[in-house]
Amino acid sequence: MTQIFMYVVIWWLTLFAVLPWGVRRTEQNEAGHDPGAPANPMLFKKAIATTLIAAAIWGVAFMFFHVYGFTLLELIDKVGF
């Protein structure tokens, strides 16, 4: 269950990093529309990219925690917080 929550948190953080990619403002401003709104947000492509990137990040974290046996306390000690 922890791994699912960890993946969801990584996915949301990655989504907010991916959302600005390729954003172009609309050339023609229509009444009632935000002038800064993207012309084509490409949300499906960004969701796919987010899923792939988050899976890679989660895979690295899974490898460190389960394959190599690291714990969060050991990582904190090594980083020096």
Side-chain angles (χ1 to χ4, degrees), residues 32-72:
H33 290 259
D34 185 4
N40 183 9
M42 301 179 290
L43 292 179
F44 184 72
K45 289 182 181 179
K46 290 179 182 181
I48 297 296
T50 299
T51 302
L52 295 174
I53 294 168
I57 294 170
W58 177 84
V60 169
F62 184 83
M63 183 179 66
F64 277 117
F65 294 133
H66 290 283
V67 175
Y68 293 122
F70 284 109
T71 64
L72 287 176

Side-chain angles (χ1 to χ4, degrees), residues 23-42:
V23 173
R24 305 272 189 275
R25 292 177 48 173
T26 56
E27 296 297 326
Q28 301 168 352
N29 293 333
E30 298 177 20
H33 290 259
D34 185 4
N40 183 9
M42 301 179 290

